[in-house]
Amino acid sequence: MKKIIICGAGIGGMVSAIRLAHLGYKSEIFEKNNYAGGKMGEYYESGFRFDTGPSLITMPYVLEDFFNEIGRDIKNYINLIPLDNACRYFWSDGVSLNAYTDHIRFKDEFISVFGEEEYSGFLNYLEYGKFFYEMSEKNILQSEFRIRNFLTAKGIKNINKFISGKSINDLSNKFFKDPKLKQLFDRYATYNGSSPYLASQIFSIIPYIEFKYGAWYPEGGMYRIAKALARLCGEYGIRINYGHELSDISSASGNINKCIFTVNDEAQKSISDFDIMISNFTNNIKLTGKEYFKTGDWSSSGFIALIGFNEISDILSQHNIFFSGDYEKEFLDIFEKKIPADDMTVYISVTGKSERNDAPAGTENWFVLVNAPALNDNFTWTEKNKYDYFEKVIDKINSFELFPGDIREKIIFSKIFTPADFLKNYGSEFGSIYGLSSNSLFTMFRRPKNKSDNYNNLYFTGGNTHPGGGVPLCFLSGKIVSEIIRDGNKNAY
Ligand SMILES: Cc1cc2nc3c(=O)[nH]c(=O)nc-3n(C[C@H](O)[C@H](O)[C@H](O)COP(=O)(O)OP(=O)(O)OC[C@H]3O[C@@H](n4cnc5c(N)ncnc54)[C@H](O)[C@@H]3O)c2cc1C
């Protein structure tokens, strides 16, 4: 059996390793950090626990399938809990909407806020998302990216919908009249780090999936998923070498034959006893090739504030969105001017709503996330800029006048992460969350494929490659890579 080296212990890296071990391959993981999970991390301070990356699971069946397919019962590893409310949305004029996961309850809520006609628009919108989902679930999300996968009879008949150039925002304009609903459905573009004014209408698949499969949360926190995967690695005898940062590679005859690691920021170590390499990141130009770095159209990054909040608020649900006043300007700032938006949309996740142990009695753990541009020359996250922006975000939350007084008085502590921290902690390109953005079909096609074009024995897994970002898709990426390796090249393009 061939021996595999996997660089990066993010979700995609660990899932690939486990699936391949289940098929009988021997593999070893090399991870630069001293923990597993990559962007899925956690943070503890003063009796508070926070998930520092993902906060919402939307395709629970993907995780269930993974455990079934390796002959394990998911319940022995992760307890996925359905949420009653996927998100509470707030607008500055006092309007709010609960996205209840019970469809009848949601219908009542939706109609009471936006009326019957808009609800019909919503159902028609979902049909659109359903169409894209059904077209892509097996052929694209669960398979290697191949042009011929699009060329089914139905795909050819509907090719216009795929290449029409219509954006998510165009779709919102088609189905909704109220600007608030347009904003709500446009926001789904941010799930893969894109702008709704640029990204394809194909991504209407995202709200469809959320509506159909609901919103989920693993008991004990999102980080339980990373822990479960690390535990499975142990059970399969897959060693994770922490503190090993890939610094260079060498190759011969189209194959990578040596990986050089910097170990704990000091010594160098070379590994050459492997046949196949899987990379869980795309930050190395020698692996991805120069073309990948040429467009510079990176997906968004994030500005995060972890806040210990000295009150339990009835205003918040587990997931909350406070919308900006001008969405178009917000995305122009992020993707064209490449500066943090002055008038920003603020997401607050409070896992303490499900997990009382995540915060001391009478308090809450607020994970505050704002979309921000990937690192670039137009803005630098100096210490001053970082704290100034934090003040702006707090002002924005205060401006909704939902919390009595200034919320600053209730902040016990705050810990801030900027795009510069994303770069340092995850090694992601320019601090972006998903590598190249999905803002155009052109950049989407430039994302590295699961099987590298540059080396015969190199594969990519994770959110920066096919089928895309987000925890469930990273699980699918690991599945696809393991299947390509299992099947050899027999299904090549
Ligand atoms: C703030 C935030 C919020 C998010 N919210 C959600 C959400 O609600 N729901 C959702 O589904 N998804 C969400 N995501 C996205 C999701 O977290 C990611 O898509 C997913 O975790 C990425 O997994 P991955 O397999 O791509 O690996 P990554 O997490 O990118 O891990 C790659 C690993 O490679 C390591 N590495 C990098 N360079 C090197 C090197 N040179 N040598 C060795 N190791 C290296 C890194 O340290 C890291 O451990 C969010 C992400 C962030 C950051």
Side-chain angles (χ1 to χ4, degrees):
M1 227 9 147
K2 289 181 172 162
K3 183 169 175 211
I4 301 173
I5 186 173
I6 297 174
C7 296
I11 303 301
M14 289 192 284
V15 168
S16 305
I18 294 160
R19 281 187 170 275
L20 285 161
H22 192 69
L23 293 170
Y25 290 86
K26 262 191 129 17
S27 70
E28 205 173 339
I29 301 180
F30 293 84
E31 162 59 49
K32 78 174 183 61
N33 290 333
N34 57 11
Y35 70 94
K39 292 174 188 119
M40 181 182 279
E42 70 179 348
Y43 179 80
Y44 287 85
E45 184 168 336
S46 309
F48 291 80
R49 190 200 72 86
F50 299 87
D51 287 308
T52 54
S55 52
L56 177 76
I57 291 294
T58 52
M59 297 162 87
Y61 68 89
V62 169
L63 277 65
E64 286 155 9
D65 288 352
F66 165 74
F67 281 94
N68 284 339
E69 284 161 24
I70 59 164
R72 303 285 211 275
D73 183 350
I74 188 171
K75 291 204 177 63
N76 293 332
Y77 296 82
I78 304 166
N79 183 19
L80 285 177
I81 301 168
L83 296 177
D84 293 342
N85 191 350
C87 190
R88 189 169 286 166
Y89 297 97
F90 298 94
W91 287 270
S92 58
D93 59 2
V95 174
S96 66
L97 179 84
N98 289 295
Y100 295 121
T101 48
D102 177 279
H103 292 180
I104 307 280
R105 205 169 163 212
F106 181 57
K107 179 181 177 189
D108 291 345
E109 168 84 356
F110 193 109
I111 290 173
S112 75
V113 181
F114 292 109
E116 295 269 0
E117 197 188 332
E118 293 282 24
Y119 186 72
S120 307
F122 164 67
L123 294 181
N124 291 334
Y125 182 102
L126 281 189
E127 280 303 309
Y128 231 77
K130 183 178 177 200
F131 164 80
F132 285 120
Y133 178 73
E134 288 177 351
M135 289 293 296
S136 55
E137 210 272 323
K138 282 273 168 297
N139 287 336
I140 299 172
L141 297 183
Q142 303 252 8
S143 312
E144 189 181 358
F145 183 85
R146 294 193 200 101
I147 299 291
R148 69 175 149 91
N149 284 356
F150 291 88
L151 303 179
T152 59
K154 200 171 171 192
I156 293 168
K157 194 171 152 218
N158 290 287
I159 193 84
N160 280 347
K161 281 191 179 153
F162 283 95
I163 57 165
S164 69
K166 290 222 167 70
S167 68
I168 295 197
N169 176 254
D170 291 330
L171 207 60
S172 301
N173 287 332
K174 177 172 167 154
F175 290 110
F176 302 110
K177 292 202 173 74
D178 194 313
K180 292 188 175 69
L181 284 171
K182 294 179 186 179
Q183 196 171 24
L184 193 159
F185 285 91
D186 280 356
R187 192 184 77 91
Y188 285 97
T190 66
Y191 278 37
N192 65 19
S194 307
S195 161
Y197 302 94
L198 301 170
S200 163
Q201 60 175 352
I202 297 169
F203 295 111
S204 55
I205 188 176
I206 303 173
Y208 171 73
I209 286 171
E210 192 170 294
F211 185 75
K212 180 164 168 68
Y213 296 103
W216 298 75
Y217 173 76
E219 186 181 352
M222 292 292 287
Y223 195 65
R224 283 289 167 98
I225 297 175
K227 275 189 180 157
L229 293 177
R231 183 180 139 199
L232 277 167
C233 285
E235 288 173 13
Y236 276 102
I238 302 158
R239 186 185 157 99
I240 305 181
N241 300 277
Y242 293 105
H244 282 64
E245 177 159 12
L246 182 79
S247 48
D248 204 359
I249 55 152
S250 46
S251 62
S253 312
N255 286 306
I256 295 176
N257 57 9
K258 195 198 285 181
C259 287
I260 300 155
F261 295 94
T262 306
V263 184
N264 296 322
D265 296 327
E266 288 174 0
Q268 299 273 306
K269 182 156 121 190
S270 292
I271 309 272
S272 46
D273 62 333
F274 61 89
D275 305 291
I276 291 172
M277 174 180 179
I278 300 176
S279 179
N280 191 194
F281 46 83
T282 47
N283 57 24
N284 185 312
I285 202 162
K286 275 201 178 173
L287 297 180
T288 56
K290 285 187 197 134
E291 286 301 307
Y292 173 70
F293 283 88
K294 266 190 184 159
T295 63
D297 185 5
W298 303 107
S299 57
S300 58
S301 183
F303 175 89
I304 294 174
L306 307 179
I307 293 178
F309 194 69
N310 200 5
E311 190 176 85
I312 294 187
S313 128
D314 291 337
I315 292 149
L316 298 179
S317 182
Q318 182 153 335
H319 299 284
N320 310 273
I321 287 288
F322 295 80
F323 276 116
S324 65
D326 185 342
Y327 221 34
E328 197 159 358
K329 179 174 178 307
E330 184 178 351
F331 284 93
L332 273 177
D333 283 348
I334 295 172
F335 286 101
E336 285 197 20
K337 291 191 186 162
K338 298 183 195 281
I339 54 170
D342 255 343
D343 179 10
M344 71 295 279
T345 295
V346 182
Y347 166 69
I348 305 181
S349 165
V350 189
T351 59
K353 298 287 181 193
S354 290
E355 301 281 345
R356 270 323 311 153
N357 290 339
D358 277 0
T363 67
E364 276 182 343
N365 59 336
W366 286 18
F367 167 89
V368 179
L369 172 64
V370 172
N371 292 311
L375 296 171
N376 69 90
D377 292 341
N378 297 353
F379 187 86
T380 308
W381 288 99
T382 59
E383 283 298 289
K384 179 175 182 318
N385 284 344
K386 166 171 144 177
Y387 288 106
D388 285 353
Y389 200 63
F390 176 71
E391 294 303 325
K392 282 187 189 172
V393 173
I394 298 299
D395 285 342
K396 181 73 196 173
I397 301 170
N398 275 334
S399 73
F400 281 71
E401 297 182 347
L402 290 166
F403 304 92
D406 185 342
I407 62 166
R408 285 178 182 83
E409 285 156 19
K410 306 224 170 79
I411 295 179
I412 303 167
F413 70 87
S414 58
K415 167 91 183 159
I416 299 172
F417 297 91
T418 71
D421 297 304
F422 283 33
L423 174 64
K424 186 165 150 254
N425 296 342
Y426 318 128
S428 55
E429 297 84 299
F430 301 92
S432 65
I433 299 183
Y434 304 106
L436 274 190
S437 81
S438 300
N439 279 337
S440 74
L441 289 176
F442 176 70
T443 46
M444 278 165 73
F445 282 109
R446 284 227 165 155
R447 293 162 74 84
K449 299 185 189 112
N450 299 114
K451 180 165 184 354
S452 160
D453 287 334
N454 301 328
Y455 300 99
N456 303 321
N457 65 341
L458 173 64
Y459 299 81
F460 290 103
T461 186
N464 293 15
T465 175
H466 182 71
V471 175
L473 296 197
C474 292
F475 268 79
L476 291 179
S477 190
K479 173 183 153 91
I480 294 167
V481 162
S482 67
E483 287 172 354
I484 304 173
I485 292 173
R486 179 197 64 195
D487 296 345
N489 281 334
K490 71 176 187 232
N491 284 331
Y493 285 60

